[in-house]
Amino acid sequence: MQVERLADLIATAGRPPKLAYVVPNSQNPGSTTMSLAWRGLLLDLAGRHGFLILEDDPYGLLYFDRPSPPSRGSIPAAIPSASGSSPDFLP
């Protein structure tokens, strides 16, 4: 997800999304991890525009060379989450 573009997309559409689905850690196919700055921006936008964030984090614990990024539980916002259930929702 290109979080930096989300504010412009909301302004262009004239309304926010109802839900943002994100895979913040080791997202396929490039194994990218969303930075803490982008996570903070996403939380800020969700708070300002009133949409939910669904975090699917199947790879959040698979860090061998560095500590895992903070979990959603350590961020002061209610975010529904799933761990590896994307095939259940999006076959």
Side-chain angles (χ1 to χ4, degrees), residues 68-87:
S68 298
S71 70
R72 72 210 162 275
S74 65
I75 299 172
I79 301 172
S81 65
S83 290
S85 60
S86 57

Side-chain angles (χ1 to χ4, degrees), residues 2-89:
Q2 295 175 331
V3 179
E4 68 277 15
R5 295 189 58 217
L6 190 54
D8 290 336
L9 291 171
I10 291 170
T12 300
R15 62 187 174 90
K18 294 182 184 207
L19 178 90
Y21 172 80
V22 297
V23 180
N25 298 312
S26 300
Q27 182 176 3
N28 289 322
S31 192
T32 58
T33 296
M34 187 183 293
S35 72
L36 292 178
W38 292 135
R39 292 173 198 227
L41 178 58
L42 183 60
L43 285 171
D44 180 58
L45 288 170
R48 282 192 283 142
H49 295 285
F51 62 87
L52 294 174
I53 300 169
L54 175 60
E55 178 184 281
D56 189 2
D57 192 15
Y59 310 115
L61 298 176
L62 297 178
Y63 284 84
F64 302 105
D65 60 343
R66 62 179 190 254
S68 298
S71 70
R72 72 210 162 275
S74 65
I75 299 172
I79 301 172
S81 65
S83 290
S85 60
S86 57
D88 297 336
F89 295 116

